[in-house]
Amino acid sequence: NDVLDLSKIEAGRMELHVETVDAAAVVRRVVDTSGPLASAGGNALTVEGLDQLGAIQSDALKLQQVLLNLVGNACKFTSNGRVHLACARQRGDEGDRLVVAVKDTGIGMTPEQVSRLFTQFMQADSSATRQYGGTGLGLAISQRLCRLMGGDITVESRFGQGSTFIVDLPAVAPGASGVAAGDPSAPRPAERAA
């Protein structure tokens, strides 16, 4: 699936399905889905800021895919620690932004490892493939999906002290049909079935 997703993105065939999205509901689904993985590693999975997110105009499934990948990685590379999602809606001159920081207390990375992170088929360390598995495509796809939605992913990490991945997206994605999404207190849409 990762290879197919990447080939679609690179061929320009990955489309956004922009709709009114209850951002907090998406984050809650990610936390609920990731709970067993966090528990298996002895990690506490916590979240804050859901009450300020409100409705956005974006692609719910792609947002969920990105966050699931980041939280899954955080749980995988953390043992008996903490994975925390800090969510915020930030106001700016060019409109509101949805910011979700996924912070862990895991193994962390060196600056050199960080520089290779978003390269497809690359993992921070070749030994990570043997120890943790994976294709090395998840972060490359997540970054491309965020850019497709008009935003990006950045990372801050210190070796041995954990990592923080920050998803920063416009509250109104490119291609949205002009529906305002500036008021987080606006009525929230019904939560879609997972």
Side-chain angles (χ1 to χ4, degrees), residues 8 143 147:
K8 277 185 185 176
Q143 185 183 60
R147 289 177 176 175

PDB file of all heavy atoms in Angstrom, residues 8 143 147:
ATOM      1  N   LYS A   8       1.383   6.894  -6.703  1.00  0.00           N
ATOM      2  CA  LYS A   8       0.270   7.782  -7.065  1.00  0.00           C
ATOM      3  C   LYS A   8       0.641   9.245  -6.841  1.00  0.00           C
ATOM      4  O   LYS A   8       0.343  10.113  -7.659  1.00  0.00           O
ATOM      5  CB  LYS A   8      -0.969   7.452  -6.215  1.00  0.00           C
ATOM      6  CG  LYS A   8      -1.808   6.315  -6.718  1.00  0.00           C
ATOM      7  CD  LYS A   8      -3.057   6.211  -5.843  1.00  0.00           C
ATOM      8  CE  LYS A   8      -3.892   5.004  -6.212  1.00  0.00           C
ATOM      9  NZ  LYS A   8      -5.039   4.871  -5.300  1.00  0.00           N
ATOM     10  N   GLN A 143       4.908  13.057   4.639  1.00  0.00           N
ATOM     11  CA  GLN A 143       5.318  14.408   4.266  1.00  0.00           C
ATOM     12  C   GLN A 143       4.650  14.843   2.966  1.00  0.00           C
ATOM     13  O   GLN A 143       4.151  15.966   2.849  1.00  0.00           O
ATOM     14  CB  GLN A 143       6.832  14.483   4.113  1.00  0.00           C
ATOM     15  CG  GLN A 143       7.320  15.907   3.847  1.00  0.00           C
ATOM     16  CD  GLN A 143       8.815  15.962   3.617  1.00  0.00           C
ATOM     17  OE1 GLN A 143       9.329  15.331   2.690  1.00  0.00           O
ATOM     18  NE2 GLN A 143       9.515  16.692   4.471  1.00  0.00           N
ATOM     19  N   ARG A 147       1.986  17.946   2.323  1.00  0.00           N
ATOM     20  CA  ARG A 147       2.214  18.979   1.310  1.00  0.00           C
ATOM     21  C   ARG A 147       1.046  19.045   0.334  1.00  0.00           C
ATOM     22  O   ARG A 147       0.673  20.125  -0.131  1.00  0.00           O
ATOM     23  CB  ARG A 147       3.540  18.727   0.596  1.00  0.00           C
ATOM     24  CG  ARG A 147       4.720  19.016   1.522  1.00  0.00           C
ATOM     25  CD  ARG A 147       6.064  18.709   0.898  1.00  0.00           C
ATOM     26  NE  ARG A 147       7.143  19.104   1.809  1.00  0.00           N
ATOM     27  CZ  ARG A 147       8.435  18.876   1.575  1.00  0.00           C
ATOM     28  NH1 ARG A 147       8.816  18.264   0.451  1.00  0.00           N
ATOM     29  NH2 ARG A 147       9.342  19.271   2.441  1.00  0.00           N
TER      30      ARG A 147
END
